[in-house]
Amino acid sequence: MTAILSEANNVGLALGSGSARGLAHIGVLKALQDKGIRINLISGSSMGALVGACFARKGDISELEELALRTDWMQLIKLADPNLAFMFKGFIHGHKVKELLKTIIGDVKFKDLKIPLAVVATDINTGDEVVIREGSVIEAVRASISIPAIFTPVKMGDRFLVDGGIVIPVPVSVVRDMGADFVIACNVIHSLRERRPLPKHMLHKPTSRWKYHASSKALNDKIEWLLHENKNKLRDFNRVIGIFKNRFIKSDIVIDLDMPNVFDTIINAIYIMEYEIAKSNIQQADLAISPDTRKISSLEFHRGYEAIDIGYKAAIDAFEII
């Protein structure tokens, strides 16, 4: 592995989309650091863009690992904006996402990053792939993670941008275009048919200890602040929802309790579409790492320990093969 990489002038890393499964990218980056493999260029789609941006800023992943493990992710679902005017555009409004990203990544420009980064987004009106390499990193990542209907689109110029994984789930070609002559790709997208749920008590411990960073407290404080900001809106919205519930209970309509909720339905629909594209993307890489994240669902961000450990072990196994 070391001999092969020593011949490469520019090692590129392509991090794919995957929502909560994308936390496995953190484990992959930990393994790269432990093996002394230097990454010269990074491209990312959706969750891969977020993880890639955090790593590109300082060339270190320990701070993001701590955020993943110490953040109360279960609270995030409460950030859905109850303002009906916004809900017709997306459940979670842009300013909330931007506030969280500012705490996670920092308010930086692409030119300030330690490692060159390219973020992939999708023009929702044309279907074009949009590669962002300048300006605000927060705005670029915010666009790339904007799952349609869940997040409001991000306006850049005359374009409205959403999730980059829609057009290129694992952006190998993007990091090639940046000048990489050896590409490592991390793909966490698997067939939904193969998903193997794991009992929640069978969670892995992290592969290594992380040191304390004040940013983890800052992120949880930011979430609490945003929830408090929503408090009055939620109270009024819940009152309206209560009226609809009472009318529904009195009706003869019966809904199966096992029916997927709106968030799972939207994300799974995108996942199904991305699966075949992702398989094609990683064939263009020199080394493909595919952490087995099938047991983690798209919104299970609270299973960070497991996802990171799976990514770490998958990377170590991949290094031993070549």
Side-chain angles (χ1 to χ4, degrees):
M1 177 69 186
T2 305
I4 295 174
L5 289 176
S6 64
E7 298 175 1
N9 294 318
N10 286 303
V11 178
L13 178 64
L15 299 176
S17 59
S19 300
R21 298 177 179 99
L23 293 174
H25 295 321
I26 299 173
V28 171
L29 282 162
K30 281 168 59 66
L32 290 169
Q33 287 186 302
D34 288 351
K35 289 291 184 179
I37 298 170
R38 183 179 177 182
I39 299 300
N40 305 106
L41 303 162
I42 303 173
S43 63
S45 287
S46 199
M47 189 62 183
L50 173 56
V51 175
C54 290
F55 184 71
R57 186 183 180 193
K58 298 180 180 179
D60 181 75
I61 201 62
S62 61
E63 190 168 345
L64 181 59
E65 181 185 14
E66 186 195 334
L67 289 177
L69 301 180
R70 299 187 66 161
T71 300
D72 188 359
W73 298 106
M74 301 296 284
Q75 293 277 60
L76 289 183
I77 193 65
K78 298 178 183 178
L79 292 180
D81 201 314
N83 187 322
L84 290 176
F86 284 140
M87 288 184 70
F88 284 115
K89 306 292 185 180
F91 286 102
I92 300 178
H93 192 248
H95 90 276
K96 296 176 183 176
V97 181
K98 187 173 181 178
E99 288 294 329
L100 291 176
L101 290 177
K102 188 181 294 185
T103 306
I104 296 170
I105 302 171
D107 194 4
V108 295
K109 306 292 185 183
F110 278 86
K111 62 182 178 61
D112 301 321
L113 298 174
K114 184 175 182 179
I115 302 172
L117 170 72
V119 171
V120 180
T122 303
D123 185 324
I124 195 59
N125 288 322
T126 66
D128 291 339
E129 167 192 323
V130 179
V131 179
I132 309 169
R133 295 190 60 186
E134 59 183 22
S136 168
V137 175
I138 289 176
E139 286 297 322
V141 172
R142 179 182 151 211
S144 189
I145 66 172
S146 292
I147 301 170
I150 294 180
F151 296 94
T152 54
V154 174
K155 187 175 184 181
M156 284 193 178
D158 59 352
R159 294 179 181 268
F160 287 94
L161 305 181
V162 296
D163 194 335
I166 294 174
V167 287
I168 182 166
V170 188
V172 174
S173 61
V174 174
V175 79
R176 285 266 190 224
D177 291 342
M178 293 171 71
D181 51 19
F182 188 97
V183 176
I184 301 171
C186 183
N187 172 44
V188 297
I189 299 176
H190 300 278
S191 171
L192 293 180
R193 297 191 195 94
E194 300 172 349
R195 188 185 172 204
R196 300 178 300 178
L198 191 73
K200 290 190 176 181
H201 66 278
M202 294 177 62
L203 300 181
H204 293 283
K205 294 180 179 180
T207 53
S208 64
R209 291 179 179 269
W210 31 258
K211 60 184 179 180
Y212 176 78
H213 291 276
S215 54
S216 62
K217 181 179 185 304
L219 180 57
N220 280 294
D221 288 346
K222 179 65 69 175
I223 292 172
E224 288 296 326
W225 179 78
L226 289 170
L227 290 174
H228 179 75
E229 188 184 50
N230 256 19
K231 186 175 180 181
N232 291 334
K233 292 181 182 178
L234 283 169
R235 183 189 59 207
D236 295 338
F237 184 72
N238 287 334
R239 187 180 299 124
V240 174
I241 290 298
I243 296 173
F244 281 105
K245 281 184 177 179
N246 289 333
R247 291 182 180 177
F248 177 79
I249 290 172
K250 295 176 181 178
S251 72
D252 296 327
I253 301 175
V254 177
I255 294 181
D256 190 334
L257 295 178
D258 292 328
M259 182 181 294
N261 63 46
V262 64
F263 295 106
D264 283 329
T265 298
I266 293 170
I267 293 175
N268 283 349
I270 294 173
Y271 238 63
I272 293 167
M273 177 188 64
E274 291 182 356
Y275 173 63
E276 293 297 333
I277 305 175
K279 286 200 302 182
S280 175
N281 290 162
I282 62 174
Q283 289 176 2
Q284 305 168 41
D286 298 293
L287 174 63
I289 303 171
S290 298
D292 188 357
T293 57
R294 290 174 290 178
K295 59 181 69 70
I296 300 173
S297 71
S298 302
L299 297 177
E300 290 184 320
F301 286 93
H302 59 285
R303 298 176 75 170
Y305 282 107
E306 184 182 351
I308 293 170
D309 198 48
I310 289 170
Y312 187 92
K313 290 176 179 176
I316 294 297
D317 289 344
F319 298 155
E320 292 176 352
I321 292 174
I322 68 169

